[in-house]
Amino acid sequence: MSTKSIERQPKVVIAGAGMTGILMAIRLLKAGIKDIVILEKRDKLGGTWRENTYPGVACDVPAHFYTYSFELNPNWSHFFAEGAEIQSYFEHVAEKYQITPLIHFNEAVTDAHFNNHQWHIQSAKNQHYVADFFICATGILHHPAFPQIKGLERFQGKQFHTAQWDHSVNIDANTKVGIIGTGSTAAQCIPKLVETGADVNVFQRTPQWIIPLPDRHISDREKRLLKRHRWLLRLNRWYGRMTMTHFFNKAIAGHKVQQTLLNLGCKLNLKLNVKNKALRKKLTPDYQIGCKRVIVNSTFYPAIQKPNAHLITEGIEEITETGIRTKDGKHHDLDVLVLSTGFQPFNFMRPMNLTGKNGLHIDTAWKDKIDAYRSILLPDFPNFFLMLGPFTPISNFSVIAMSEVQADYVMKLIEKWRRREFESIEPKPQAVKAFIDYIQVGMKDSTWTSGCNSWYLDQSGRPILWPYTWGHYEQYMSNLKMDDLLINTSSTRSN
């Protein structure tokens, strides 16, 4: 029997026990790969849904589509799942598929370097691991971004970021709350703050386009039907997928009919649901719909019109010990300051020290611009997979679906390693350039390059997302294109 026909077992280390880390571990186990270590920086799995616990937190993708394709969930309580339910879902999946025992909690990766066809990984607990493959499942939006505003550190009241919500702070009708930002997170938590009766001051720099897809409660009877009839559950998932694929995704990707419907929906939503003309003008963006992420929400507009809600657009001059002074000279007294100012989207695996071949550090590799092949592979970082890397975001689509497509791609490569077709693999520089050029062709004259400032843009102003349709992405990723990869067949790796 040829030695090439004997499958070998790789050692795999995964950084991150969020949605993608759990998925990759399940796929590896299913393939019969058992030597898996998951290093998780926190004391609990869940990633985004563990971190974000602000009032009103929910997913803007239909719940029955926001599940793993192999683990549908008949128990969602709403059309758009709430954060705590999603967290429970991932905990359930990790237990069911025996992933939890593989997780090393409170053990962030501090250093990873490639040597002799293997990765040598150091953790915050000073533990050392050796892996044939290193998979970074560290997510996109996990490092809170704090605004660069004069006096931010001077505020003497309670202050926190939405991704670090302080639940010990009591907010009621006697509380004066200020919230900086009006993005997706703010649109969800502002209505909840207004409901408390607190005096809510919303400091808006840029208004957002909002499409109303009303949430609805799923009754116990409906849950029982979905549990009893799996075809109904699959139908619900199909409906969510079709909505995102053939409406949102195609609208953002520039398909004229869907784009027209999305534009009409956003503009009518604003016109019909904000009666006061002066307020409506303040809430009207001056950029093309889709240039920033379109917010799916039906509660923000009613909330911002309540007597205890105040939209402030004059711009922030400075933050004082007792509140915020705006550029018109007015001082807004506050007891609580909430920062809904988003994340640092291009940190990816950092702040870990990631070093590839010949001592190349990730900060050096990405000094001028952030590039990757198919979002996943980096030149000079062999046998390293960056899940949901640059050019992954696909309009308002489900990141679970994105991760499943990427997991298929990664597993195909790992299977080739198991059949001894290579020792290490990385993309050729010319393949990376061709991929980036292909992305840029799709970006030309697109919504994302129409002039707004969004978190999709890197430091050079280049949109770091996929500009084509979801169907195109699935097809594109299904072909490995091994000619694009630099394959090392030397067998000098250490054991």
Side-chain angles (χ1 to χ4, degrees):
M1 181 183 293
S2 168
T3 57
K4 286 200 172 185
S5 67
I6 302 173
E7 287 199 345
R8 54 181 169 171
Q9 292 293 329
K11 299 175 182 178
V12 183
V13 170
I14 301 171
M19 174 273 296
T20 307
I22 293 168
L23 169 67
M24 283 308 308
I26 291 172
R27 293 297 306 275
L28 290 163
L29 286 176
K30 186 178 179 181
I33 297 168
K34 304 261 178 80
D35 196 339
I36 306 166
V37 172
I38 306 174
L39 299 176
E40 169 53 53
K41 64 182 179 181
R42 303 286 188 235
D43 60 357
K44 191 164 69 169
L45 60 81
T48 294
W49 304 105
R50 175 199 63 227
E51 299 290 300
N52 289 275
T53 61
Y54 59 83
V57 59
C59 184
D60 60 3
V61 173
H64 288 105
F65 181 40
Y66 195 77
T67 57
Y68 296 121
S69 60
F70 54 85
E71 187 62 32
L72 306 189
N73 180 19
N75 298 313
W76 297 121
S77 66
H78 290 80
F79 183 76
F80 293 109
E82 297 175 349
E85 275 192 299
I86 300 172
Q87 174 67 18
S88 295
Y89 169 75
F90 288 126
E91 290 173 355
H92 158 76
V93 172
E95 286 294 330
K96 177 176 178 178
Y97 290 87
Q98 300 181 346
I99 303 304
T100 309
L102 305 176
I103 304 172
H104 297 220
F105 292 105
N106 294 310
E107 196 167 346
V109 175
T110 55
D111 184 272
H113 66 274
F114 185 77
N115 182 45
N116 199 21
H117 298 304
Q118 290 183 309
W119 283 95
H120 297 262
I121 297 156
Q122 199 79 12
S123 79
K125 290 186 175 179
N126 205 30
Q127 295 296 308
H128 183 77
Y129 303 90
V130 177
D132 299 300
F133 294 98
F134 181 32
I135 301 174
C136 259
T138 45
I140 304 172
L141 306 178
H142 60 108
H143 291 289
F146 293 89
Q148 301 298 308
I149 301 174
K150 179 183 176 183
L152 184 64
E153 73 289 345
R154 293 166 55 195
F155 184 66
Q156 297 299 304
K158 298 292 185 179
Q159 179 187 150
F160 47 84
H161 194 281
T162 48
Q164 301 166 337
W165 196 275
D166 187 346
H167 292 278
S168 69
V169 177
N170 181 48
I171 297 175
D172 57 24
N174 298 314
T175 312
K176 293 179 180 178
V177 180
I179 180 165
I180 299 175
T182 51
S184 298
T185 295
Q188 290 181 341
C189 74
I190 286 169
K192 293 297 183 181
L193 291 172
V194 171
E195 279 180 17
T196 67
D199 190 65
V200 181
N201 298 272
V202 179
F203 295 88
Q204 173 186 279
R205 182 176 62 179
T206 308
Q208 311 286 328
W209 287 113
I210 300 177
I211 187 77
L213 289 183
D215 198 2
R216 69 175 183 86
H217 177 71
I218 299 174
S219 68
D220 289 340
R221 180 177 180 274
E222 188 175 349
K223 290 178 196 174
R224 287 194 296 270
L225 285 172
L226 292 171
K227 202 173 293 187
R228 188 178 306 127
H229 303 290
R230 300 294 291 183
W231 67 271
L232 275 177
L233 189 55
R234 290 192 293 272
L235 181 64
N236 268 268
R237 189 175 196 276
W238 175 86
Y239 172 73
R241 179 187 171 97
M242 290 301 102
T243 300
M244 303 308 291
T245 302
H246 295 293
F247 178 58
F248 274 106
N249 183 230
K250 287 187 175 180
I252 302 299
H255 289 230
K256 295 302 180 185
V257 173
Q258 291 89 341
Q259 193 174 57
T260 299
L261 289 172
L262 180 62
N263 289 352
L264 184 63
C266 289
K267 290 177 180 178
L268 277 177
N269 181 38
L270 181 57
K271 186 173 183 179
L272 296 176
N273 291 304
V274 181
K275 302 301 182 184
N276 183 286
K277 288 185 179 180
L279 179 61
R280 191 191 311 151
K281 185 178 180 181
K282 288 183 176 183
L283 290 168
T284 302
D286 62 359
Y287 54 85
Q288 192 172 327
I289 294 173
C291 186
K292 289 177 178 283
R293 183 180 175 89
V294 176
I295 295 175
V296 179
N297 184 281
S298 58
T299 59
F300 175 73
Y301 285 159
I304 202 64
Q305 297 174 83
K306 297 287 186 182
N308 60 316
H310 317 285
L311 185 68
I312 301 161
T313 60
E314 283 71 21
I316 297 173
E317 180 68 33
E318 65 174 338
I319 296 175
T320 70
E321 290 86 349
T322 57
I324 291 178
R325 180 173 289 107
T326 46
K327 291 181 179 179
D328 59 359
K330 185 176 180 180
H331 189 272
H332 305 265
D333 293 333
L334 302 173
D335 302 308
V336 178
L337 179 58
V338 179
L339 307 176
S340 186
T341 46
F343 298 85
Q344 298 175 29
F346 304 125
N347 278 20
F348 295 109
M349 79 296 290
R350 294 177 283 191
M352 76 170 67
N353 281 312
L354 182 72
T355 308
K357 292 192 315 187
N358 303 316
L360 180 65
H361 193 278
I362 188 62
D363 288 345
T364 303
W366 280 355
K367 177 168 59 82
D368 297 320
K369 55 185 176 179
I370 296 172
D371 284 343
Y373 175 74
R374 300 195 180 200
S375 306
I376 302 170
L377 299 174
L378 277 60
D380 296 311
F381 291 82
N383 291 8
F384 173 78
F385 303 121
L386 176 58
M387 308 302 292
L388 299 176
F391 309 105
T392 288
I394 304 173
S395 62
N396 287 57
F397 212 74
S398 167
V399 290
I400 297 183
M402 299 177 209
S403 288
E404 289 197 352
V405 167
Q406 293 188 0
D408 287 343
Y409 179 86
V410 169
M411 290 307 300
K412 287 176 185 176
L413 291 178
I414 290 177
E415 286 303 319
K416 285 182 174 291
W417 181 92
R418 295 181 75 189
R419 295 194 298 269
R420 302 176 186 273
E421 294 182 26
F422 68 85
E423 288 298 327
S424 63
I425 197 165
E426 61 183 287
K428 296 175 181 176
Q430 59 266 36
V432 178
K433 183 181 183 305
F435 173 72
I436 302 300
D437 289 345
Y438 180 64
I439 292 289
Q440 296 311 307
V441 168
M443 284 295 171
K444 188 179 179 183
D445 300 323
S446 73
T447 300
W448 298 293
T449 58
S450 60
C452 75
N453 182 27
S454 77
W455 68 263
Y456 293 141
L457 306 180
D458 69 6
Q459 60 192 20
S460 66
R462 193 180 52 158
I464 305 295
L465 38 62
W466 177 258
Y468 306 105
T469 64
W470 171 250
H472 191 162
Y473 183 73
E474 288 184 297
Q475 183 180 21
Y476 186 86
M477 291 297 291
S478 67
N479 182 1
L480 281 183
K481 291 190 74 175
M482 294 301 291
D483 289 345
D484 283 354
L485 304 179
L486 185 63
I487 297 171
N488 190 325
T489 58
S490 167
S491 59
T492 59
R493 74 185 183 95
S494 59
N495 292 313

